Amino acid sequence: EGKGTEFKYTERDVMLYNLGIGAKRTDLRYVFEGNDEFQVIPTFGVIPPFDAETPYNFDDLVPNFSPMMLLHGEQYLEVKKYPIPTSGRLISKARLLEVVDKGTAAIVKSGVTTTNAETGEELFYNEMTVFLRGCGGFGGQKKPADRGASTAANKPPQRAPDVVVEEKTTEEQAAIYRLSGDYNPLHIDPAFAKMGGFKVPILHGLCFFGIAGKAVYEKYGPFKNIKVRFAGTVNPGQTLVTEMWKEGDKKVVFQTKVKETGKLAIGGAAVELV
Ligand code: HDC
């Protein structure tokens, strides 16, 4: 475990995050600090841990590591306590969970606990999986361990979805989203994106995770946890279609497709409601 990385934020950071995942000027509770219900959309819980110092480097874990070949594979977030403060000082501590050998690719999973530095209370727990193309074949374990909700397959049921929400991203979506802390050039620099194998800079996984999570939150309310697999890339400007199935009292299974191509962008996804 690392020694902990501080993350300070203000209401301005909250509004910038909300705008980065598609909040509109008319969504006053997301974009106006003077609104009575001013709040941060709960998927914000992935932001404070993002820069947490890790007690390892990818180079030490897998062969042939290249930042251009790194993709975000999966994300799991637990929100331990509501309401989420709209400003504060948090501490995140990261640890390595596992390294998996997928043959041509490798998967690295880390777990990050985020506490409120003022109260000592745990606020978020995240598990992030990165998919490292070209870094497999080193003879490591072949399958990730079962970690309950964070690794569940969440296969959508056969019936038609209970709710469908469509949201068009803007051409500037990644350029705005990155200001919340993920400055990976893959999402802004055409030359870098090209070296990674993409025609144009692609959208951050955590940006379309936020857009889909916002749609689920607005329909079903706050969640205890949320898990997604990034199944396909999204280009800024494309339209996202999120389909939701209520399963029992507390669970919503969902998936997100790109309208223009019909391809899956988020699969294996679910929330457990508060
Ligand atoms: O699914 C493919 C893909 O392109 N997904 C979309 C990726 C994406 O767009 N991510 C978001 C953008 S990148 C980003 O935001 C980076 C960010 O800036 C920083 C990240 C965080 C940094 C944190 C620092 C600490 C792809 C390429 C991922 C996989 O496709 P294929 O190679 O065709 O794989 P496939 O044949 O389907 O499966 C091979 C095995 O891998 C498993 N797998 C597939 N997709 C996975 C995945 N595992 C985890 N996550 C995924 N997304 C499959 O299960 C399969 O395993 P097995 O053979 O054992 O069944």
Side-chain angles (χ1 to χ4, degrees):
E1 193 166 276
K3 61 181 168 10
T5 305
E6 188 181 73
F7 177 85
K8 278 190 196 153
Y9 67 111
T10 66
E11 291 179 333
R12 180 184 182 281
D13 300 301
V14 163
M15 291 182 273
L16 184 58
Y17 174 76
N18 289 344
L19 287 164
I21 61 165
K24 306 295 180 288
R25 70 181 167 82
T26 48
D27 297 328
L28 291 183
R29 63 188 179 140
Y30 300 148
V31 300
F32 175 39
E33 71 287 1
N35 186 265
D36 284 345
E37 287 170 43
F38 179 62
Q39 60 182 276
V40 66
I41 297 162
T43 49
F44 176 76
V46 301
I47 300 295
F50 191 82
D51 267 340
E53 212 175 298
T54 54
Y56 57 85
N57 297 311
F58 291 126
D59 277 318
D60 305 331
L61 300 177
V62 298
N64 308 318
F65 173 70
S66 156
M68 266 116 22
M69 300 302 278
L70 178 151
L71 291 171
H72 202 156
E74 294 188 323
Q75 186 72 28
Y76 172 69
L77 162 68
E78 283 176 15
V79 180
K80 302 280 193 182
K81 192 165 187 286
Y82 284 95
I84 300 169
T86 53
S87 65
R89 196 165 65 83
L90 311 179
I91 303 282
S92 291
K93 284 187 182 171
R95 69 195 168 94
L96 179 65
L97 295 177
E98 62 188 338
V99 182
V100 181
D101 187 342
K102 285 293 174 192
T104 57
I107 284 168
V108 177
K109 283 177 185 269
S110 51
V112 189
T113 301
T114 301
T115 53
N116 189 325
E118 317 296 345
T119 64
E121 281 176 316
E122 236 178 79
L123 194 50
F124 306 119
Y125 173 69
N126 278 272
E127 286 184 7
M128 41 186 86
T129 303
V130 291
F131 193 94
L132 307 173
R133 294 173 293 164
C135 298
F138 52 90
Q141 74 181 74
K142 296 275 178 278
K143 294 274 179 200
D146 181 347
R147 294 175 194 281
S150 87
T151 50
N154 300 315
K155 204 170 170 315
Q158 287 296 313
R159 69 177 196 279
D162 301 320
V163 177
V164 181
V165 174
E166 198 173 299
E167 182 156 336
K168 191 179 179 337
T169 64
T170 70
E171 297 285 337
E172 284 69 41
Q173 205 75 58
I176 295 169
Y177 181 82
R178 67 195 297 272
L179 303 179
S180 287
D182 181 352
Y183 295 103
N184 186 344
L186 180 65
H187 310 295
I188 193 84
D189 178 5
F192 188 98
K194 205 153 274 169
M195 287 189 280
F198 301 104
K199 287 199 187 87
V200 296
I202 61 173
L203 197 56
H204 302 73
L206 291 179
C207 178
F208 55 98
F209 159 83
I211 293 172
K214 169 161 64 72
V216 175
Y217 171 67
E218 288 180 345
K219 187 64 201 177
Y220 293 103
F223 45 80
K224 283 197 299 197
N225 61 52
I226 178 168
K227 181 255 168 176
V228 298
R229 170 175 282 200
F230 298 114
T233 57
V234 176
N235 295 337
Q238 286 182 319
T239 301
L240 298 170
V241 180
T242 299
E243 301 173 324
M244 306 169 211
W245 291 264
K246 183 88 189 291
E247 291 283 88
D249 267 7
K250 292 282 179 208
K251 191 168 176 182
V252 180
V253 171
F254 67 99
Q255 66 181 17
T256 301
K257 288 179 176 161
V258 175
K259 191 179 183 185
E260 289 78 3
T261 61
K263 287 188 182 155
L264 204 58
I266 291 176
V271 303
E272 279 182 78
L273 301 170
V274 168

